[in-house]
Amino acid sequence: MNQPFSYEVTHVCKQSGARLGVLHTPHGDIQTPIYMPVGTSACVKAMTSREMEEIGTQILLSNTYHLHLRPGEELIREAGGLHAFMDWHRPILTDSGGFQVFSLAGIRKIKEEGVTFQSHLDGSRKFISPEVSMDIQQALGSDIAMAFDVCSPFPCDYKTAKEAMERTHRWAERCKAHHTREDQALFGIVQGAFYEDLRIESAKTLADMDFIGYGIGGLSVGEPKPVMYEMLDKIRPFMPENKPRYLMGVGSPDCLIEGVLRGVDMFDCVLATRIARNGSVFTNRGRVVIKNAKYARDFGPMDETCDCYACTHFSRAYIRHLFNAKEITGGRLASIHNLRFLLHMMEEIRQAIAEDRLLDYRKEFYERYDLTKNF
């Protein structure tokens, strides 16, 4: 089946082996490596679509599970699809709902045909199978859909991990057979928990299925970062070179650098907006808790190196005041900044790859960015 998607590697960093690429989609080209902000319910929290464009967002992620429950994919189809519904004219990726269902441990039951679960909204009984997930995502009309998978917890025993991986492979075949929308790419998802042989087997099996791209799932479920990096190192040789690789649910600044160094092209995470709403912001030297009393008379920007609207117009003292006064604008300005910080960081990473100096960039980052504390 011919689809209007293609991916090309445009440069490999001579210093690090990291790669630049372009993923062509019906709603525009995506320059990789890229961070994708998360618009769970067809909205990045506290942000408008226009603002997301202004800060340089290339692609958004939306959530199949949440949109299925509210407002429902048929209403979104009636509105003209997700792009029209949320007034977003660039690419959209929808996850399959697999991770959200996995997170409902205790109120869901996984069987071969699919997953039965209770809605977190009203307790009603719901069912999602590979075929249902494909139907929902095709109705939403995203540019990239994800196969319905089984995510293993951390830690888990070998038997549990193997069974989840094998079911993920069977479900991937069912997704591929059921998916028919030619203007939507379908990505498979590599599983296997934290067992090297399972991860390699999963990467090989899915590569043979010839998906347009590949997610790497189950590596943001509470494991130590060195364990995640080790798994990425192990599976990299078995991931197709001519397909984009998407590390799911990962988006802290250090993980973005380390993931790119291990061949990852795409990332997503809710971290940026979640910590922003709680008064924490990324800065050039580490996380700053903007609500701290020491910023009460600090009239400098949140980050003097940032070009976002919040940093070029408002002081730390003002934004701290907004949080203390419980004004929602405080969370909005912090969200604008955190998202722009990560998007700008990815721009810098792409530039460093193009100039064959990503290892130098990594060294400079760790010299200034304190991972061990908040300021």
Side-chain angles (χ1 to χ4, degrees):
M1 180 171 62
N2 294 322
Q3 298 197 41
F5 295 89
S6 63
Y7 174 77
E8 56 182 315
V9 176
T10 58
H11 183 75
V12 176
C13 176
K14 294 179 177 64
Q15 189 184 63
S16 67
R19 63 193 203 165
L20 288 177
V22 182
L23 176 58
H24 305 284
T25 82
H27 284 92
D29 291 348
I30 302 166
Q31 306 295 322
T32 65
I34 186 62
Y35 162 72
M36 301 181 288
V38 179
T40 300
S41 298
C43 174
V44 178
K45 286 188 185 301
M47 302 288 290
T48 66
S49 293
R50 186 179 72 180
E51 288 169 333
M52 294 307 298
E53 289 186 5
E54 289 172 349
I55 63 173
T57 307
Q58 296 189 60
I59 174 173
L60 293 178
L61 182 146
S62 282
N63 188 283
T64 295
Y65 165 84
H66 288 282
L67 292 175
H68 173 58
L69 295 183
R70 183 174 54 191
E73 63 273 13
E74 289 308 319
L75 185 148
I76 292 175
R77 191 207 301 268
E78 184 181 336
L82 196 51
H83 291 86
F85 189 55
M86 63 187 295
D87 191 36
W88 178 252
H89 309 290
R90 297 176 183 180
I92 297 174
L93 181 149
T94 46
D95 61 12
S96 68
F99 180 78
Q100 283 67 41
V101 170
F102 153 79
S103 302
L104 297 173
I107 56 173
R108 51 98 167 128
K109 184 174 293 185
I110 301 175
K111 294 185 177 180
E112 188 62 27
E113 58 267 29
V115 183
T116 303
F117 61 96
Q118 287 178 264
S119 165
H120 73 284
L121 297 175
D122 59 13
S124 61
R125 196 172 178 83
K126 302 290 184 181
F127 174 75
I128 294 182
S129 65
E131 292 78 13
V132 170
S133 178
M134 292 299 95
D135 287 340
I136 296 169
Q137 293 183 78
Q138 290 183 111
L140 295 175
S142 55
D143 298 89
I144 301 171
M146 302 301 297
F148 194 56
D149 63 328
V150 184
C151 184
S152 300
F154 177 82
C156 71
D157 59 63
Y158 188 87
K159 181 175 181 291
T160 299
K162 183 174 174 61
E163 288 175 352
M165 178 200 71
E166 290 174 343
R167 179 166 282 162
T168 290
H169 296 167
R170 294 192 295 273
W171 284 4
E173 291 177 339
R174 286 166 58 184
C175 287
K176 207 159 191 294
H178 194 77
H179 186 267
T180 58
R181 186 161 181 161
E182 294 190 0
D183 62 347
Q184 183 182 67
L186 179 61
F187 282 24
I189 302 177
V190 174
Q191 288 290 353
F194 299 89
Y195 297 98
E196 177 183 343
D197 62 326
L198 296 183
R199 282 283 173 181
I200 292 173
E201 179 184 347
S202 187
K204 287 180 175 179
T205 300
L206 288 165
D208 288 342
M209 293 186 198
D210 194 28
F211 285 95
I212 290 174
Y214 294 91
I216 304 167
L219 288 186
S220 184
V221 289
E223 77 285 355
K225 290 178 181 179
V227 175
M228 175 176 70
Y229 300 152
E230 179 185 3
M231 287 298 104
L232 290 174
D233 286 331
K234 297 296 185 184
I235 66 173
R236 182 177 182 178
F238 304 96
M239 302 286 288
E241 286 288 336
N242 62 337
K243 303 291 181 70
R245 306 160 185 161
Y246 161 31
L247 180 55
M248 306 176 73
V250 172
S252 63
D254 53 322
C255 288
L256 294 177
I257 293 177
E258 298 299 333
V260 169
L261 285 168
R262 290 162 174 82
V264 175
D265 306 298
M266 303 165 70
F267 304 83
D268 84 282
C269 192
V270 298
L271 178 67
T273 50
R274 178 175 290 164
I275 68 169
R277 295 193 303 278
N278 291 316
S280 290
V281 295
F282 297 125
T283 74
N284 202 39
R285 62 195 179 103
R287 283 198 208 179
V288 163
V289 181
I290 203 69
K291 296 188 293 185
N292 283 353
K294 67 185 196 178
Y295 300 119
R297 286 177 169 79
D298 187 335
F299 302 113
M302 286 185 287
D303 184 343
E304 63 279 357
T305 68
C306 183
D307 61 1
C308 79
Y309 172 73
C311 287
T312 55
H313 288 78
F314 304 106
S315 68
R316 291 179 175 181
Y318 177 68
I319 294 171
R320 176 185 181 272
H321 156 70
L322 293 179
F323 275 103
N324 284 352
K326 295 182 169 48
E327 291 286 351
I328 60 174
T329 302
R332 276 185 32 76
L333 291 174
S335 295
I336 289 170
H337 166 71
N338 278 354
L339 290 167
R340 176 57 190 157
F341 181 92
L342 294 183
L343 291 167
H344 182 250
M345 181 178 176
M346 296 307 292
E347 292 168 2
E348 291 182 329
I349 287 173
R350 291 196 296 272
Q351 186 67 29
I353 294 172
E355 295 173 359
D356 299 311
R357 55 175 182 85
L358 186 60
L359 293 181
D360 293 338
Y361 178 88
R362 177 182 183 270
K363 181 174 181 290
E364 293 162 5
F365 171 83
Y366 284 118
E367 285 175 350
R368 67 174 185 265
Y369 196 96
D370 193 337
L371 297 169
T372 63
K373 65 177 181 179
N374 291 331
F375 295 93

